[in-house]
Amino acid sequence: MAKQKLNYNKLKKIFNCLDKDKKTLAEPLLKKFEFMDKSLDALMEDIIENGMIVTLINGNGFSVTKVNPAKTEYDKMYKNYAATWSKLVDLLPKSEQNSNELLDFITKNDK
C-alpha cells in the first residue's frame, strides 16, 4: 500500500485565510506537523519491516524479546500529531473547518 505524500503547500494554502496573529501561531505548528508526518512514516516503515515485537541483545549479552521501540515512539508521536492537527483546525474560522478543501485534504492524507 503506497502512502500518498502529504502536500504541505496545499495544507499551507488552507491556512492562508488566517489573520496575522493566528498565522504566527499556525506556522510553527505546520512545521512540527510536517516533521511528525515524516517521522511517523519512517517509524511505520521500521514497524512493518521489523515487526511489533523484536528480539534485542541487552547490555549483558542476553537476548530479550520486547515491543519494537519504533512502535512505542510511533504511539507517542501519533498522539502529538493528532493534537497538533486539532490545534491547527481550531485556528481556522468555523466556515473553513467544514470546507470541502479541508475535508478533501483530511480524507486523502489519513494516516
Side-chain angles (χ1 to χ4, degrees):
M1 171 177 84
K3 180 187 179 294
Q4 182 176 347
K5 186 173 175 145
L6 194 56
N7 185 338
Y8 294 101
N9 291 329
K10 187 172 183 176
L11 181 60
K12 288 175 188 175
K13 184 180 170 190
I14 293 170
F15 287 89
N16 260 348
C17 67
L18 298 177
D19 63 43
K20 184 180 176 186
D21 293 335
K22 286 187 177 182
K23 250 188 205 176
T24 302
L25 293 171
E27 286 174 3
L29 288 174
L30 285 166
K31 287 179 183 175
K32 288 177 180 160
F33 187 78
E34 178 179 7
F35 170 79
M36 286 188 284
D37 186 69
K38 290 177 181 176
S39 298
L40 285 168
D41 287 345
L43 290 167
M44 187 184 304
E45 286 178 27
D46 183 288
I47 296 164
I48 290 168
E49 184 177 317
N50 299 308
M52 296 266 196
I53 307 296
V54 293
T55 302
L56 304 169
I57 306 297
N58 70 11
N60 296 327
F62 293 103
S63 177
V64 291
T65 302
K66 61 186 254 178
V67 174
N68 186 340
K71 170 71 169 111
T72 305
E73 291 305 311
Y74 182 93
D75 290 344
K76 287 183 207 174
M77 188 174 291
Y78 190 82
K79 288 177 187 176
N80 292 331
Y81 178 85
T84 302
W85 178 251
S86 179
K87 287 177 187 174
L88 283 166
V89 170
D90 288 346
L91 289 172
L92 290 170
K94 294 293 180 202
S95 61
E96 289 295 316
Q97 289 182 11
N98 295 319
S99 73
N100 287 338
E101 190 174 7
L102 182 61
L103 292 173
D104 286 348
F105 181 85
I106 293 168
T107 57
K108 290 180 181 167
N109 293 290
D110 191 20
K111 278 255 169 253

